[in-house]
Amino acid sequence: MAEIIQNRVQRIKEERVKGPWQEAWTNFKKSKSALFGSAIVLFFVLLAIFGPLFAPQGINEQNLSMRLQPPSADFWFGTDDLGRDIFSRILHGARISLTVGLSAVLISAVAGSFLGIIAGYYGRWVDTIISRIFDIMLAFPSILLAIAIVSILGPSLQNALIAIAVINIPNFGRLIRSRVLSIKEEEYIHAAKAIGMKNSRILWKHILPNSMTPVIVQGTLAIATAIIEAAALGFLGLGAEAPQPEWGKMLADARMFLMNAPWAMIFPGLAIMLTVIGFNLMGDGLRDALDPKMKS
């Protein structure tokens, strides 16, 4: 009898219903491309944290006698036009690019989510004003709007971060607004209002937690876009300034030597490409794992 009860308990444990996040993690692990993208992201995150500690040379250490040297045992990725070690600069540049991407997306996600929740929950003239602001911002190509903002604020890495954050606010705002419009019609929201719960508590306890899934997915994909935009601004001379080893700035500095020293552009370009691919693959995996419509 005891053995029968034990077997039944074991069966119940194995068949118990998984929580939403546990189920999402199980679905995420089934995607090989998502795991591959996560491995790339983890690699570059570790590179950004610990890479500069193992850089063979300083990022601004110049040796004009060794300028434009091809990859070798002494200089794994070669040297640039000032004799600086490209490998060391890429290691330091990983921290800059990831910091800009993560910080810009975090700012835009917080600001966009706040505006989207307010617009979707309160509606009427509040929704009209916020939605029209989003429409005006989205009417401009994102990179042109970023260039305009940086031109007004002045070229610098910090201003480039602000510009990237601003141009991504409408994407998060419109996304979470559409989510709130459907959530606020649910029965448990009406029940919360009926018992006299304050709007602020409803927004914080019910609306916000149930609106985070699309924001997480969009945020992961937006990091890849932010890294590209930061590199584009750096390439145009509107982002990082010399001697900062930002990947886009490194591409701009090396474009004059493309024919003579292609490695000076190839390796920063590969770093940007791999980072963006990693975040895109991970974002696609999160979308498939968290979106009920994508589940098989």
Side-chain angles (χ1 to χ4, degrees):
M1 184 69 179
E3 185 178 353
I4 296 175
I5 296 175
Q6 184 177 2
N7 292 335
R8 180 170 298 181
V9 171
Q10 181 66 25
R11 193 182 307 114
I12 293 174
K13 289 182 179 180
E14 293 176 354
E15 297 177 353
R16 69 184 185 276
V17 179
K18 296 181 179 180
W21 292 107
Q22 186 179 2
E23 184 179 359
W25 171 241
T26 302
N27 294 329
F28 182 83
K29 291 189 296 183
K30 294 178 181 178
S31 174
K32 294 182 179 179
S33 61
L35 293 177
F36 179 67
S38 301
I40 296 176
V41 171
L42 179 60
F43 171 76
F44 277 98
V45 169
L46 295 176
L47 200 68
I49 297 174
F50 302 108
L53 300 177
F54 302 98
Q57 297 187 22
I59 57 175
N60 299 319
E61 185 177 339
Q62 301 181 14
N63 187 354
L64 295 179
S65 63
M66 301 297 293
R67 63 191 302 269
L68 299 179
Q69 292 293 310
S72 63
D74 296 328
F75 305 102
W76 290 1
F77 289 177
T79 60
D80 61 10
D81 58 310
L82 296 176
R84 297 173 297 191
D85 183 41
I86 295 177
F87 178 70
S88 299
R89 290 177 63 80
I90 287 179
L91 292 180
H92 285 81
R95 180 175 297 180
I96 295 175
S97 295
L98 288 180
T99 299
V100 171
L102 292 171
S103 300
V105 170
L106 180 61
I107 295 172
S108 58
V110 172
S113 298
F114 173 77
L115 294 174
I117 288 176
I118 297 300
Y121 185 76
Y122 289 102
R124 298 184 179 181
W125 63 271
V126 176
D127 185 20
T128 300
I129 293 176
I130 295 177
S131 296
R132 294 297 78 78
I133 293 175
F134 288 165
D135 292 339
I136 293 173
M137 295 178 66
L138 291 173
F140 297 92
S142 59
I143 189 63
L144 293 181
L145 184 58
I147 291 173
I149 295 174
V150 175
S151 300
I152 295 173
L153 299 177
S156 71
L157 187 62
Q158 291 76 14
N159 291 339
L161 189 155
I162 294 173
I164 295 170
V166 170
I167 64 176
N168 282 289
I169 288 177
N171 297 326
F172 288 97
R174 288 169 64 92
L175 180 66
I176 201 167
R177 172 186 173 273
S178 63
R179 179 70 174 165
V180 171
L181 287 175
S182 61
I183 292 177
K184 74 175 185 179
E185 300 301 330
E186 297 288 344
E187 293 183 359
Y188 65 90
I189 299 297
H190 292 296
K193 292 180 179 178
I195 63 175
M197 184 178 293
K198 295 182 179 180
N199 288 330
S200 59
R201 185 173 177 82
I202 293 175
L203 291 173
W204 180 254
K205 293 292 185 179
H206 299 292
I207 300 292
L208 183 61
N210 290 290
S211 303
M212 283 295 100
T213 298
V215 173
I216 294 173
V217 176
Q218 177 63 26
T220 306
L221 298 172
I223 293 174
T225 304
I227 291 175
I228 293 178
E229 290 167 344
L233 292 174
F235 185 84
L236 296 173
L238 298 174
E241 298 177 328
Q244 291 177 312
E246 194 271 328
W247 292 339
K249 180 62 176 174
M250 292 177 66
L251 287 175
D253 294 339
R255 70 182 185 275
M256 297 178 59
F257 309 99
L258 177 60
M259 302 303 297
N260 298 329
W263 56 84
M265 289 193 69
I266 290 175
F267 290 110
L270 284 175
I272 296 172
M273 182 188 71
L274 290 175
T275 307
V276 171
I277 288 175
F279 277 106
N280 281 334
L281 291 177
M282 188 172 69
D284 290 339
L286 286 174
R287 180 197 60 197
D288 297 341
L290 295 175
D291 189 353
K293 298 179 182 179
M294 302 297 295
K295 297 178 181 178
S296 58

